[in-house]
Amino acid sequence: MEPVPPDTTGATPVELSTGLLTAPMLEATPACCRVTQIGWFSGLRGSGLRVGDRIVAVNGEAVKRETTPAEMQQSIGAYGEAQRWAKAGARDGTPVTLTVLRRATPGQGWQTLDVTGPLRPKPNVRSADNRILLGPGGPPEMYENDGFDRGWGQWAEAFAKSASAVLDDPLCALSLTSTYELRNLLEQKSRVRLLAQKYPGPFADAVQQDFEAMRERLQGPPITLPEGAMDYREQGEQRADEIREKAQAAWAALRAELADLSITPLFPAEHPIHGRREFVTGRYATLPPLRNSDWVGEAGRTWFVVGSERDGWYFADAESPQAVWMMDALARYRRLVVPSIDECYELVGQVEAQPGQLVVGERAYFGLRLTPVAALIGGAVFVDLRKAVDGVARFAGEDALRDQGSKAPPDTASPTEVLEAMVKALKAADQDLWISLFATWAVGALPDGRPQFKANAVAQPARYFEEARRRIMERVHDMRPVWVDDIRVIFPGDAYPGQLRLEEVKVEMQHVGLFEGVYRPFSDVTVNRWWTLQRIGLPGMPMGPWRITSLQAI
């Protein structure tokens, strides 16, 4: 299958191109066009140019922020780019130099590079029988699939889109699940290999290059964690064992304390209307283990329910203050110890004087109503609800945990050091330190778009701590800052005397997971790569400490 070279001798001029596709970012500083695809025929392949680079100048001429529609159509990587080169009198092989910005990852800020490559004609490659080929040597764009699920043209288009998404700068691209994308990529390996074997040429070479670049990006390099980086997991397990021992001991002590006042046997229960309710009022019932199926909703309220029509019923208000204290204690356990626990509730309740009634469907059920006094959850967390102070009932062993706090970073700490302290606080289950590293202010927007500073406007992110602990104890093994953007001034502080100066910076965090026994970086839609920090101060005075303004789990 011999290709026929394009006709450059007739009246029709040759359309020259850099072979790039770009996305205009004219509102960025500086204005730029971000590279989203480097075509197989591009003279800039091998020049050092990467997908995700930001073109800020072409042959020394800066990309303009204000452009006409015609200029936009003729910009680098746009569909009318050939007109630009025709006006400039360029020829096949004319070199073009692009000045690009690229994030200095790992590191801080941006680096500026110049890359040079020749302009080339837009390809129009055909076989001897006039079929359109994807490149010199093939494969045919249509009617051939070599036994795969779709034709070469359709597959090549999908592959190119995937390469653009994977190889783009994550600062601008949508979040991808790297393990999922890698699995999909490796399924294409046999087709990429066949392409190189059966249709060798520049198109096959370019596909192979992109395949390897995508594999390298998605798989990530092996990472050697520093000594002690994973100690927190072992410490978490030890902490859970210690709390479990204290819970079991406290539960046994409670049962012994209440033994003489306990209802034994629990069933059959006294009927609250027709039975001898006065003989059980004030006594204690230890309910069998309860799960979610034992929670009953009635008239907008939730109850713990145990029993049957034959044996009688016990009801405990799942929205009572005591039940709320119990659930709060469970949430603190998940944050301070380990995030996972068997949600099996063993309750001890005191029989109330008033009978209980539940209406489920069209049936009314009468039972003994209980006030919860203690609970053992998952055999691991004990809460004595009689000892609540200011609406807080500590679980057994909780006070000792709160004496193991980590050290806060100094006020002069960099954004990187603040985020590293956040990770340490998370590993140490130090919720108080975690919260202290987040900003207590927010920046909103006025109707005209101007920024507005709101002091004391941000709710503390305690609700994110439990989820962050779950992730650091499960899929995420470590986190580290890998890139810090240039500092951006939100308020210069010079509009009026006493106005605060506010600065902001964006940081990329790398998440590390364990894959087939090897630590590697990964990304997916459940982890947060990007973090924003701000600091405030008066002009001419030292700025305050950097604080995290991204309200999110890790």
Side-chain angles (χ1 to χ4, degrees):
M1 184 180 296
E2 293 297 329
V4 177
D7 180 10
T8 61
T9 61
T12 303
V14 174
E15 291 193 344
L16 298 176
S17 171
T18 55
L20 306 178
L21 291 182
T22 63
M25 300 177 63
L26 303 184
E27 298 304 317
T29 303
C32 61
C33 294
R34 191 178 83 256
V35 178
T36 60
Q37 192 175 122
I38 305 175
W40 66 266
F41 68 96
S42 173
L44 288 156
R45 273 195 175 262
S47 67
L49 184 68
R50 298 179 187 172
V51 171
D53 285 348
R54 300 185 177 190
I55 302 172
V56 295
V58 181
N59 290 333
E61 181 181 349
V63 173
K64 295 190 298 183
R65 191 179 304 280
E66 301 295 335
T67 60
T68 66
E71 289 172 332
M72 180 70 72
Q73 294 171 7
Q74 297 172 23
S75 62
I76 293 295
Y79 68 88
E81 178 188 354
Q83 300 176 43
R84 175 194 190 111
W85 304 123
K87 292 178 181 178
R91 300 191 178 193
D92 185 357
T94 296
V96 59
T97 297
L98 306 179
T99 302
V100 301
L101 293 181
R102 180 183 301 162
R103 289 194 300 119
T105 306
Q108 181 169 352
W110 300 76
Q111 53 184 327
T112 303
L113 307 95
D114 285 335
V115 295
T116 302
L119 295 173
R120 290 179 176 167
K122 291 185 177 180
N124 180 15
V125 186
R126 293 180 178 270
S127 66
D129 56 359
N130 206 35
R131 285 191 295 169
I132 298 175
L133 305 180
L134 294 177
E141 181 178 357
M142 300 176 64
Y143 310 120
E144 293 283 353
N145 62 15
D146 285 290
F148 293 99
D149 59 344
R150 50 186 165 172
W152 282 104
Q154 186 181 9
W155 174 83
E157 181 179 1
F159 182 85
K161 288 181 179 179
S162 178
S164 294
V166 170
L167 299 177
D168 200 357
D169 186 344
L171 183 61
C172 301
L174 295 174
S175 179
L176 299 175
T177 300
S178 54
T179 52
Y180 172 80
E181 297 294 338
L182 179 61
R183 183 168 61 252
N184 287 345
L185 177 69
L186 295 179
E187 290 176 355
Q188 308 299 317
K189 187 174 182 179
S190 59
R191 187 158 193 167
V192 173
R193 184 186 299 116
L194 177 79
L195 176 65
Q197 295 171 347
K198 187 173 181 179
Y199 305 104
F203 174 76
D205 292 343
V207 168
Q208 182 67 43
Q209 292 168 7
D210 290 346
F211 179 90
E212 292 301 327
M214 293 165 68
R215 184 193 59 76
E216 183 177 345
R217 169 73 66 88
L218 294 170
Q219 181 172 316
I223 292 177
T224 301
L225 296 180
E227 184 177 357
M230 295 300 297
D231 288 351
Y232 74 94
R233 292 204 170 191
E234 182 177 346
Q235 292 165 358
E237 293 172 359
Q238 293 174 350
R239 181 179 292 177
D241 290 341
E242 292 170 1
I243 296 299
R244 179 183 293 274
E245 291 178 5
K246 292 180 179 180
Q248 294 285 350
W251 177 252
L254 176 84
R255 297 289 300 275
E257 175 189 345
L258 303 180
D260 292 341
L261 293 175
S262 295
I263 300 174
T264 306
L266 193 62
F267 294 105
E270 288 289 341
H271 194 280
I273 305 298
H274 306 296
R276 299 173 301 170
R277 191 173 72 250
E278 67 276 9
F279 287 99
V280 293
T281 297
R283 297 175 70 87
Y284 297 91
T286 300
L287 302 183
L290 300 165
R291 294 194 176 273
N292 291 341
S293 58
D294 300 305
W295 298 42
V296 176
E298 182 242 14
R301 200 164 188 88
T302 305
W303 299 82
F304 298 110
V305 178
V306 172
S308 66
E309 291 190 58
R310 183 189 65 183
D311 293 330
W313 301 92
Y314 291 92
F315 306 144
D317 187 353
E319 298 179 36
S320 65
Q322 294 82 359
V324 172
W325 300 338
M326 176 186 72
M327 299 308 295
D328 287 346
L330 176 60
R332 292 195 303 276
Y333 173 87
R334 284 176 163 152
R335 294 194 291 266
L336 298 172
V337 186
V338 290
S340 298
I341 186 172
D342 180 16
E343 290 195 45
C344 175
Y345 301 83
E346 296 180 70
L347 295 180
V348 175
Q350 188 173 28
V351 179
E352 299 177 5
Q354 294 297 321
Q357 176 183 340
L358 290 182
V359 177
V360 181
E362 298 181 355
R363 295 288 301 276
Y365 300 91
F366 293 93
L368 296 173
R369 181 165 170 168
L370 305 176
T371 298
V373 298
L376 180 67
I377 307 171
V381 182
F382 173 79
V383 190
D384 191 334
L385 301 170
R386 302 170 301 174
K387 298 180 179 180
V389 178
D390 296 330
V392 177
R394 304 284 193 195
F395 60 81
E398 180 176 351
D399 289 335
L401 295 179
R402 293 184 173 275
D403 295 332
Q404 302 176 11
S406 306
K407 185 178 180 181
D411 288 350
T412 56
S414 67
T416 293
E417 291 169 330
V418 171
L419 288 171
E420 289 173 342
M422 180 198 73
V423 176
K424 289 181 180 178
L426 187 60
K427 290 181 176 181
D430 190 338
Q431 180 182 332
D432 294 337
L433 176 55
W434 162 280
I435 290 176
S436 73
L437 297 174
F438 285 77
T440 57
W441 63 83
V443 176
L446 294 170
D448 61 4
R450 290 178 297 158
Q452 178 185 33
F453 180 78
K454 300 177 182 179
N456 302 317
V458 179
Q460 298 293 351
R463 61 193 177 96
Y464 297 107
F465 188 80
E466 181 180 333
E467 182 59 32
R469 278 285 294 169
R470 182 185 303 279
R471 293 176 186 176
I472 201 72
M473 296 296 290
E474 294 175 354
R475 297 186 60 231
V476 180
H477 288 68
D478 201 9
M479 285 179 63
R480 55 187 59 188
V482 292
W483 178 74
V484 181
D485 198 358
D486 295 330
I487 295 174
R488 186 166 69 100
V489 177
I490 305 298
F491 295 116
D494 56 3
Y496 54 83
Q499 185 191 31
L500 290 173
R501 178 181 176 87
L502 187 145
E503 299 174 348
E504 180 178 276
V505 70
K506 195 167 190 175
V507 181
E508 180 182 6
M509 294 287 282
Q510 182 185 76
H511 297 76
V512 179
L514 186 63
F515 303 96
E516 298 181 352
V518 179
Y519 291 112
R520 296 182 186 274
F522 75 97
S523 64
D524 68 31
V525 295
T526 68
V527 296
N528 295 296
R529 180 193 293 262
W530 302 106
W531 294 75
T532 302
L533 295 88
Q534 295 175 349
R535 63 180 179 181
I536 55 178
L538 292 172
M541 302 290 290
M543 295 294 290
W546 286 105
R547 287 295 178 258
I548 304 165
T549 56
S550 299
L551 298 182
Q552 58 194 26
I554 62 170

